[in-house]
Amino acid sequence: MIAGRGYTNRSEAFRDMIREELVNSPGSRRTARWWDGHLVYDHHARLLGEKLTGIQHEYHRSVLSTLHVHLDHDLCWK
């Protein structure tokens, strides 16, 4: 499916799938919206935590809260 539609990676396909669902969902005509996203990442990745925090602050009207969970020594879930 991913290669057949011309995507170079899963992230692009996932992004478009979410966008399509948000636009075409029955509640899309309402003004209030919510989205629940999950990210598992290596917390040793250079500056990733700072980048995520920066994005949360930049979109403070959209990002109301976050949860940070340590899955093991290297991986975190946000």
Side-chain angles (χ1 to χ4, degrees), residues 9-38:
N9 58 56
R10 289 181 305 188
S11 296
E12 292 175 357
F14 187 64
R15 177 203 61 212
D16 285 353
M17 191 171 60
I18 290 172
R19 184 179 295 141
E20 181 69 22
E21 181 63 26
L22 289 174
V23 169
N24 294 325
S25 68
S28 66
R29 288 165 184 60
R30 290 186 245 154
T31 57
R33 300 212 192 319
W34 63 271
W35 183 76
D36 181 18
H38 300 269

PDB file of all heavy atoms in Angstrom, residues 9-38:
ATOM      1  N   ASN A   9       7.886   6.488   2.951  1.00  0.00           N
ATOM      2  CA  ASN A   9       8.001   5.871   4.269  1.00  0.00           C
ATOM      3  C   ASN A   9       6.624   5.770   4.918  1.00  0.00           C
ATOM      4  O   ASN A   9       5.649   6.348   4.453  1.00  0.00           O
ATOM      5  CB  ASN A   9       8.977   6.644   5.162  1.00  0.00           C
ATOM      6  CG  ASN A   9       8.561   8.090   5.347  1.00  0.00           C
ATOM      7  OD1 ASN A   9       7.461   8.363   5.787  1.00  0.00           O
ATOM      8  ND2 ASN A   9       9.453   9.007   5.017  1.00  0.00           N
ATOM      9  N   ARG A  10       6.572   5.043   6.033  1.00  0.00           N
ATOM     10  CA  ARG A  10       5.308   4.829   6.734  1.00  0.00           C
ATOM     11  C   ARG A  10       4.764   6.107   7.348  1.00  0.00           C
ATOM     12  O   ARG A  10       3.559   6.288   7.450  1.00  0.00           O
ATOM     13  CB  ARG A  10       5.489   3.792   7.841  1.00  0.00           C
ATOM     14  CG  ARG A  10       5.682   2.388   7.318  1.00  0.00           C
ATOM     15  CD  ARG A  10       5.821   1.442   8.457  1.00  0.00           C
ATOM     16  NE  ARG A  10       6.908   1.907   9.321  1.00  0.00           N
ATOM     17  CZ  ARG A  10       7.415   1.257  10.335  1.00  0.00           C
ATOM     18  NH1 ARG A  10       6.944   0.090  10.649  1.00  0.00           N
ATOM     19  NH2 ARG A  10       8.403   1.733  11.052  1.00  0.00           N
ATOM     20  N   SER A  11       5.656   6.995   7.780  1.00  0.00           N
ATOM     21  CA  SER A  11       5.211   8.233   8.425  1.00  0.00           C
ATOM     22  C   SER A  11       4.334   9.062   7.500  1.00  0.00           C
ATOM     23  O   SER A  11       3.333   9.632   7.922  1.00  0.00           O
ATOM     24  CB  SER A  11       6.411   9.063   8.877  1.00  0.00           C
ATOM     25  OG  SER A  11       7.131   8.381   9.863  1.00  0.00           O
ATOM     26  N   GLU A  12       4.708   9.152   6.234  1.00  0.00           N
ATOM     27  CA  GLU A  12       3.907   9.910   5.271  1.00  0.00           C
ATOM     28  C   GLU A  12       2.530   9.276   5.099  1.00  0.00           C
ATOM     29  O   GLU A  12       1.519   9.970   5.063  1.00  0.00           O
ATOM     30  CB  GLU A  12       4.616   9.976   3.921  1.00  0.00           C
ATOM     31  CG  GLU A  12       5.878  10.801   3.924  1.00  0.00           C
ATOM     32  CD  GLU A  12       6.606  10.742   2.598  1.00  0.00           C
ATOM     33  OE1 GLU A  12       6.159  10.013   1.686  1.00  0.00           O
ATOM     34  OE2 GLU A  12       7.623  11.438   2.469  1.00  0.00           O
ATOM     35  N   ALA A  13       2.495   7.956   4.992  1.00  0.00           N
ATOM     36  CA  ALA A  13       1.228   7.254   4.828  1.00  0.00           C
ATOM     37  C   ALA A  13       0.358   7.435   6.064  1.00  0.00           C
ATOM     38  O   ALA A  13      -0.845   7.703   5.960  1.00  0.00           O
ATOM     39  CB  ALA A  13       1.482   5.768   4.571  1.00  0.00           C
ATOM     40  N   PHE A  14       0.954   7.329   7.246  1.00  0.00           N
ATOM     41  CA  PHE A  14       0.225   7.497   8.493  1.00  0.00           C
ATOM     42  C   PHE A  14      -0.329   8.914   8.609  1.00  0.00           C
ATOM     43  O   PHE A  14      -1.481   9.120   8.976  1.00  0.00           O
ATOM     44  CB  PHE A  14       1.155   7.174   9.663  1.00  0.00           C
ATOM     45  CG  PHE A  14       0.480   7.146  10.997  1.00  0.00           C
ATOM     46  CD1 PHE A  14      -0.492   6.208  11.286  1.00  0.00           C
ATOM     47  CD2 PHE A  14       0.839   8.065  11.969  1.00  0.00           C
ATOM     48  CE1 PHE A  14      -1.108   6.185  12.521  1.00  0.00           C
ATOM     49  CE2 PHE A  14       0.226   8.049  13.209  1.00  0.00           C
ATOM     50  CZ  PHE A  14      -0.748   7.111  13.481  1.00  0.00           C
ATOM     51  N   ARG A  15       0.474   9.917   8.247  1.00  0.00           N
ATOM     52  CA  ARG A  15       0.044  11.316   8.292  1.00  0.00           C
ATOM     53  C   ARG A  15      -1.183  11.527   7.418  1.00  0.00           C
ATOM     54  O   ARG A  15      -2.179  12.114   7.838  1.00  0.00           O
ATOM     55  CB  ARG A  15       1.185  12.217   7.819  1.00  0.00           C
ATOM     56  CG  ARG A  15       0.814  13.694   7.754  1.00  0.00           C
ATOM     57  CD  ARG A  15       1.701  14.448   6.802  1.00  0.00           C
ATOM     58  NE  ARG A  15       1.556  13.912   5.449  1.00  0.00           N
ATOM     59  CZ  ARG A  15       2.545  13.880   4.555  1.00  0.00           C
ATOM     60  NH1 ARG A  15       3.730  14.345   4.852  1.00  0.00           N
ATOM     61  NH2 ARG A  15       2.344  13.382   3.362  1.00  0.00           N
ATOM     62  N   ASP A  16      -1.131  11.041   6.182  1.00  0.00           N
ATOM     63  CA  ASP A  16      -2.256  11.232   5.266  1.00  0.00           C
ATOM     64  C   ASP A  16      -3.490  10.451   5.702  1.00  0.00           C
ATOM     65  O   ASP A  16      -4.620  10.906   5.513  1.00  0.00           O
ATOM     66  CB  ASP A  16      -1.856  10.846   3.848  1.00  0.00           C
ATOM     67  CG  ASP A  16      -0.960  11.880   3.199  1.00  0.00           C
ATOM     68  OD1 ASP A  16      -0.752  12.961   3.798  1.00  0.00           O
ATOM     69  OD2 ASP A  16      -0.453  11.622   2.094  1.00  0.00           O
ATOM     70  N   MET A  17      -3.282   9.284   6.297  1.00  0.00           N
ATOM     71  CA  MET A  17      -4.398   8.481   6.772  1.00  0.00           C
ATOM     72  C   MET A  17      -5.124   9.218   7.906  1.00  0.00           C
ATOM     73  O   MET A  17      -6.360   9.290   7.921  1.00  0.00           O
ATOM     74  CB  MET A  17      -3.873   7.134   7.272  1.00  0.00           C
ATOM     75  CG  MET A  17      -4.936   6.119   7.546  1.00  0.00           C
ATOM     76  SD  MET A  17      -4.245   4.481   7.883  1.00  0.00           S
ATOM     77  CE  MET A  17      -3.245   4.806   9.321  1.00  0.00           C
ATOM     78  N   ILE A  18      -4.374   9.808   8.829  1.00  0.00           N
ATOM     79  CA  ILE A  18      -4.979  10.576   9.920  1.00  0.00           C
ATOM     80  C   ILE A  18      -5.693  11.796   9.371  1.00  0.00           C
ATOM     81  O   ILE A  18      -6.819  12.111   9.748  1.00  0.00           O
ATOM     82  CB  ILE A  18      -3.915  10.985  10.951  1.00  0.00           C
ATOM     83  CG1 ILE A  18      -3.436   9.763  11.709  1.00  0.00           C
ATOM     84  CG2 ILE A  18      -4.468  12.032  11.917  1.00  0.00           C
ATOM     85  CD1 ILE A  18      -2.254  10.027  12.609  1.00  0.00           C
ATOM     86  N   ARG A  19      -5.051  12.519   8.468  1.00  0.00           N
ATOM     87  CA  ARG A  19      -5.654  13.720   7.885  1.00  0.00           C
ATOM     88  C   ARG A  19      -6.958  13.377   7.188  1.00  0.00           C
ATOM     89  O   ARG A  19      -7.966  14.068   7.352  1.00  0.00           O
ATOM     90  CB  ARG A  19      -4.674  14.361   6.897  1.00  0.00           C
ATOM     91  CG  ARG A  19      -5.190  15.666   6.320  1.00  0.00           C
ATOM     92  CD  ARG A  19      -4.194  16.295   5.372  1.00  0.00           C
ATOM     93  NE  ARG A  19      -3.003  16.685   6.104  1.00  0.00           N
ATOM     94  CZ  ARG A  19      -1.756  16.570   5.640  1.00  0.00           C
ATOM     95  NH1 ARG A  19      -1.536  16.077   4.455  1.00  0.00           N
ATOM     96  NH2 ARG A  19      -0.732  16.962   6.362  1.00  0.00           N
ATOM     97  N   GLU A  20      -6.963  12.312   6.424  1.00  0.00           N
ATOM     98  CA  GLU A  20      -8.168  11.888   5.714  1.00  0.00           C
ATOM     99  C   GLU A  20      -9.288  11.551   6.698  1.00  0.00           C
ATOM    100  O   GLU A  20     -10.438  11.934   6.499  1.00  0.00           O
ATOM    101  CB  GLU A  20      -7.859  10.673   4.836  1.00  0.00           C
ATOM    102  CG  GLU A  20      -9.029  10.172   4.031  1.00  0.00           C
ATOM    103  CD  GLU A  20      -9.448  11.117   2.911  1.00  0.00           C
ATOM    104  OE1 GLU A  20      -8.623  11.936   2.473  1.00  0.00           O
ATOM    105  OE2 GLU A  20     -10.614  11.033   2.484  1.00  0.00           O
ATOM    106  N   GLU A  21      -8.960  10.869   7.769  1.00  0.00           N
ATOM    107  CA  GLU A  21      -9.960  10.501   8.773  1.00  0.00           C
ATOM    108  C   GLU A  21     -10.511  11.746   9.463  1.00  0.00           C
ATOM    109  O   GLU A  21     -11.710  11.853   9.697  1.00  0.00           O
ATOM    110  CB  GLU A  21      -9.352   9.548   9.805  1.00  0.00           C
ATOM    111  CG  GLU A  21     -10.328   9.100  10.861  1.00  0.00           C
ATOM    112  CD  GLU A  21     -11.496   8.286  10.329  1.00  0.00           C
ATOM    113  OE1 GLU A  21     -11.358   7.639   9.283  1.00  0.00           O
ATOM    114  OE2 GLU A  21     -12.563   8.307  10.973  1.00  0.00           O
ATOM    115  N   LEU A  22      -9.661  12.699   9.798  1.00  0.00           N
ATOM    116  CA  LEU A  22     -10.122  13.913  10.467  1.00  0.00           C
ATOM    117  C   LEU A  22     -11.028  14.744   9.572  1.00  0.00           C
ATOM    118  O   LEU A  22     -12.018  15.299  10.018  1.00  0.00           O
ATOM    119  CB  LEU A  22      -8.925  14.766  10.908  1.00  0.00           C
ATOM    120  CG  LEU A  22      -8.114  14.206  12.070  1.00  0.00           C
ATOM    121  CD1 LEU A  22      -6.886  15.059  12.298  1.00  0.00           C
ATOM    122  CD2 LEU A  22      -8.948  14.120  13.330  1.00  0.00           C
ATOM    123  N   VAL A  23     -10.718  14.803   8.299  1.00  0.00           N
ATOM    124  CA  VAL A  23     -11.508  15.605   7.362  1.00  0.00           C
ATOM    125  C   VAL A  23     -12.842  14.946   7.061  1.00  0.00           C
ATOM    126  O   VAL A  23     -13.868  15.619   6.973  1.00  0.00           O
ATOM    127  CB  VAL A  23     -10.711  15.838   6.052  1.00  0.00           C
ATOM    128  CG1 VAL A  23     -11.596  16.421   4.971  1.00  0.00           C
ATOM    129  CG2 VAL A  23      -9.520  16.738   6.318  1.00  0.00           C
ATOM    130  N   ASN A  24     -12.847  13.629   6.918  1.00  0.00           N
ATOM    131  CA  ASN A  24     -14.054  12.930   6.485  1.00  0.00           C
ATOM    132  C   ASN A  24     -14.847  12.273   7.611  1.00  0.00           C
ATOM    133  O   ASN A  24     -15.823  11.595   7.347  1.00  0.00           O
ATOM    134  CB  ASN A  24     -13.697  11.869   5.446  1.00  0.00           C
ATOM    135  CG  ASN A  24     -13.194  12.510   4.177  1.00  0.00           C
ATOM    136  OD1 ASN A  24     -13.657  13.568   3.779  1.00  0.00           O
ATOM    137  ND2 ASN A  24     -12.210  11.896   3.558  1.00  0.00           N
ATOM    138  N   SER A  25     -14.442  12.460   8.851  1.00  0.00           N
ATOM    139  CA  SER A  25     -15.166  11.834   9.957  1.00  0.00           C
ATOM    140  C   SER A  25     -16.497  12.551  10.178  1.00  0.00           C
ATOM    141  O   SER A  25     -16.639  13.726   9.837  1.00  0.00           O
ATOM    142  CB  SER A  25     -14.326  11.861  11.225  1.00  0.00           C
ATOM    143  OG  SER A  25     -14.171  13.187  11.674  1.00  0.00           O
ATOM    144  N   PRO A  26     -17.482  11.870  10.758  1.00  0.00           N
ATOM    145  CA  PRO A  26     -18.794  12.494  10.972  1.00  0.00           C
ATOM    146  C   PRO A  26     -18.728  13.774  11.794  1.00  0.00           C
ATOM    147  O   PRO A  26     -19.523  14.666  11.600  1.00  0.00           O
ATOM    148  CB  PRO A  26     -19.584  11.413  11.719  1.00  0.00           C
ATOM    149  CG  PRO A  26     -18.919  10.134  11.358  1.00  0.00           C
ATOM    150  CD  PRO A  26     -17.470  10.473  11.154  1.00  0.00           C
ATOM    151  N   GLY A  27     -17.779  13.888  12.710  1.00  0.00           N
ATOM    152  CA  GLY A  27     -17.680  15.081  13.549  1.00  0.00           C
ATOM    153  C   GLY A  27     -16.843  16.184  12.947  1.00  0.00           C
ATOM    154  O   GLY A  27     -16.599  17.202  13.587  1.00  0.00           O
ATOM    155  N   SER A  28     -16.421  16.040  11.716  1.00  0.00           N
ATOM    156  CA  SER A  28     -15.511  17.026  11.126  1.00  0.00           C
ATOM    157  C   SER A  28     -16.170  18.381  10.890  1.00  0.00           C
ATOM    158  O   SER A  28     -15.492  19.373  10.717  1.00  0.00           O
ATOM    159  CB  SER A  28     -14.932  16.496   9.808  1.00  0.00           C
ATOM    160  OG  SER A  28     -15.948  16.371   8.835  1.00  0.00           O
ATOM    161  N   ARG A  29     -17.485  18.442  10.918  1.00  0.00           N
ATOM    162  CA  ARG A  29     -18.162  19.720  10.704  1.00  0.00           C
ATOM    163  C   ARG A  29     -18.307  20.520  11.995  1.00  0.00           C
ATOM    164  O   ARG A  29     -18.687  21.670  11.982  1.00  0.00           O
ATOM    165  CB  ARG A  29     -19.521  19.482  10.059  1.00  0.00           C
ATOM    166  CG  ARG A  29     -19.376  19.046   8.604  1.00  0.00           C
ATOM    167  CD  ARG A  29     -20.651  18.463   8.059  1.00  0.00           C
ATOM    168  NE  ARG A  29     -20.579  17.944   6.722  1.00  0.00           N
ATOM    169  CZ  ARG A  29     -19.806  16.987   6.283  1.00  0.00           C
ATOM    170  NH1 ARG A  29     -18.927  16.443   7.065  1.00  0.00           N
ATOM    171  NH2 ARG A  29     -19.861  16.555   5.043  1.00  0.00           N
ATOM    172  N   ARG A  30     -18.011  19.891  13.114  1.00  0.00           N
ATOM    173  CA  ARG A  30     -18.053  20.598  14.393  1.00  0.00           C
ATOM    174  C   ARG A  30     -16.804  21.445  14.552  1.00  0.00           C
ATOM    175  O   ARG A  30     -15.780  21.188  13.946  1.00  0.00           O
ATOM    176  CB  ARG A  30     -18.117  19.594  15.547  1.00  0.00           C
ATOM    177  CG  ARG A  30     -19.451  18.889  15.593  1.00  0.00           C
ATOM    178  CD  ARG A  30     -19.511  18.036  16.821  1.00  0.00           C
ATOM    179  NE  ARG A  30     -19.580  16.651  16.366  1.00  0.00           N
ATOM    180  CZ  ARG A  30     -19.179  15.615  17.052  1.00  0.00           C
ATOM    181  NH1 ARG A  30     -18.665  15.767  18.232  1.00  0.00           N
ATOM    182  NH2 ARG A  30     -19.306  14.407  16.577  1.00  0.00           N
ATOM    183  N   THR A  31     -16.895  22.460  15.399  1.00  0.00           N
ATOM    184  CA  THR A  31     -15.734  23.325  15.609  1.00  0.00           C
ATOM    185  C   THR A  31     -14.739  22.730  16.592  1.00  0.00           C
ATOM    186  O   THR A  31     -13.557  22.988  16.494  1.00  0.00           O
ATOM    187  CB  THR A  31     -16.175  24.719  16.110  1.00  0.00           C
ATOM    188  OG1 THR A  31     -16.926  24.556  17.306  1.00  0.00           O
ATOM    189  CG2 THR A  31     -17.011  25.426  15.065  1.00  0.00           C
ATOM    190  N   ALA A  32     -15.196  21.938  17.551  1.00  0.00           N
ATOM    191  CA  ALA A  32     -14.285  21.328  18.519  1.00  0.00           C
ATOM    192  C   ALA A  32     -13.687  20.057  17.921  1.00  0.00           C
ATOM    193  O   ALA A  32     -14.375  19.265  17.302  1.00  0.00           O
ATOM    194  CB  ALA A  32     -15.027  21.012  19.800  1.00  0.00           C
ATOM    195  N   ARG A  33     -12.386  19.895  18.120  1.00  0.00           N
ATOM    196  CA  ARG A  33     -11.695  18.715  17.605  1.00  0.00           C
ATOM    197  C   ARG A  33     -10.740  18.199  18.667  1.00  0.00           C
ATOM    198  O   ARG A  33     -10.269  18.924  19.510  1.00  0.00           O
ATOM    199  CB  ARG A  33     -10.883  19.049  16.369  1.00  0.00           C
ATOM    200  CG  ARG A  33     -11.672  19.585  15.215  1.00  0.00           C
ATOM    201  CD  ARG A  33     -11.009  19.150  13.926  1.00  0.00           C
ATOM    202  NE  ARG A  33     -11.407  19.730  12.694  1.00  0.00           N
ATOM    203  CZ  ARG A  33     -12.593  20.023  12.262  1.00  0.00           C
ATOM    204  NH1 ARG A  33     -13.602  19.875  13.015  1.00  0.00           N
ATOM    205  NH2 ARG A  33     -12.832  20.508  11.077  1.00  0.00           N
ATOM    206  N   TRP A  34     -10.436  16.919  18.586  1.00  0.00           N
ATOM    207  CA  TRP A  34      -9.412  16.332  19.430  1.00  0.00           C
ATOM    208  C   TRP A  34      -8.618  15.345  18.614  1.00  0.00           C
ATOM    209  O   TRP A  34      -9.073  14.819  17.605  1.00  0.00           O
ATOM    210  CB  TRP A  34     -10.023  15.663  20.663  1.00  0.00           C
ATOM    211  CG  TRP A  34     -10.925  14.516  20.348  1.00  0.00           C
ATOM    212  CD1 TRP A  34     -12.266  14.560  20.108  1.00  0.00           C
ATOM    213  CD2 TRP A  34     -10.549  13.156  20.191  1.00  0.00           C
ATOM    214  NE1 TRP A  34     -12.743  13.316  19.822  1.00  0.00           N
ATOM    215  CE2 TRP A  34     -11.709  12.426  19.870  1.00  0.00           C
ATOM    216  CE3 TRP A  34      -9.354  12.475  20.286  1.00  0.00           C
ATOM    217  CZ2 TRP A  34     -11.697  11.057  19.648  1.00  0.00           C
ATOM    218  CZ3 TRP A  34      -9.343  11.105  20.071  1.00  0.00           C
ATOM    219  CH2 TRP A  34     -10.511  10.417  19.764  1.00  0.00           C
ATOM    220  N   TRP A  35      -7.411  15.101  19.050  1.00  0.00           N
ATOM    221  CA  TRP A  35      -6.534  14.144  18.396  1.00  0.00           C
ATOM    222  C   TRP A  35      -5.647  13.528  19.457  1.00  0.00           C
ATOM    223  O   TRP A  35      -5.164  14.223  20.358  1.00  0.00           O
ATOM    224  CB  TRP A  35      -5.687  14.832  17.326  1.00  0.00           C
ATOM    225  CG  TRP A  35      -4.820  13.885  16.571  1.00  0.00           C
ATOM    226  CD1 TRP A  35      -5.226  13.020  15.600  1.00  0.00           C
ATOM    227  CD2 TRP A  35      -3.410  13.685  16.706  1.00  0.00           C
ATOM    228  NE1 TRP A  35      -4.163  12.302  15.130  1.00  0.00           N
ATOM    229  CE2 TRP A  35      -3.037  12.695  15.807  1.00  0.00           C
ATOM    230  CE3 TRP A  35      -2.453  14.257  17.527  1.00  0.00           C
ATOM    231  CZ2 TRP A  35      -1.723  12.255  15.684  1.00  0.00           C
ATOM    232  CZ3 TRP A  35      -1.148  13.819  17.403  1.00  0.00           C
ATOM    233  CH2 TRP A  35      -0.800  12.827  16.485  1.00  0.00           C
ATOM    234  N   ASP A  36      -5.443  12.248  19.357  1.00  0.00           N
ATOM    235  CA  ASP A  36      -4.620  11.518  20.310  1.00  0.00           C
ATOM    236  C   ASP A  36      -3.476  10.885  19.533  1.00  0.00           C
ATOM    237  O   ASP A  36      -3.698   9.982  18.731  1.00  0.00           O
ATOM    238  CB  ASP A  36      -5.486  10.464  21.001  1.00  0.00           C
ATOM    239  CG  ASP A  36      -4.722   9.672  22.027  1.00  0.00           C
ATOM    240  OD1 ASP A  36      -3.651  10.120  22.466  1.00  0.00           O
ATOM    241  OD2 ASP A  36      -5.214   8.599  22.408  1.00  0.00           O
ATOM    242  N   GLY A  37      -2.285  11.371  19.721  1.00  0.00           N
ATOM    243  CA  GLY A  37      -1.130  10.843  19.004  1.00  0.00           C
ATOM    244  C   GLY A  37      -0.154  10.187  19.962  1.00  0.00           C
ATOM    245  O   GLY A  37      -0.032  10.581  21.124  1.00  0.00           O
ATOM    246  N   HIS A  38       0.542   9.180  19.478  1.00  0.00           N
ATOM    247  CA  HIS A  38       1.515   8.459  20.294  1.00  0.00           C
ATOM    248  C   HIS A  38       2.841   8.414  19.549  1.00  0.00           C
ATOM    249  O   HIS A  38       2.871   8.227  18.337  1.00  0.00           O
ATOM    250  CB  HIS A  38       1.040   7.036  20.581  1.00  0.00           C
ATOM    251  CG  HIS A  38      -0.253   6.995  21.307  1.00  0.00           C
ATOM    252  ND1 HIS A  38      -0.338   6.963  22.670  1.00  0.00           N
ATOM    253  CD2 HIS A  38      -1.526   7.036  20.852  1.00  0.00           C
ATOM    254  CE1 HIS A  38      -1.605   6.944  23.024  1.00  0.00           C
ATOM    255  NE2 HIS A  38      -2.355   6.990  21.943  1.00  0.00           N
TER     256      HIS A  38
END
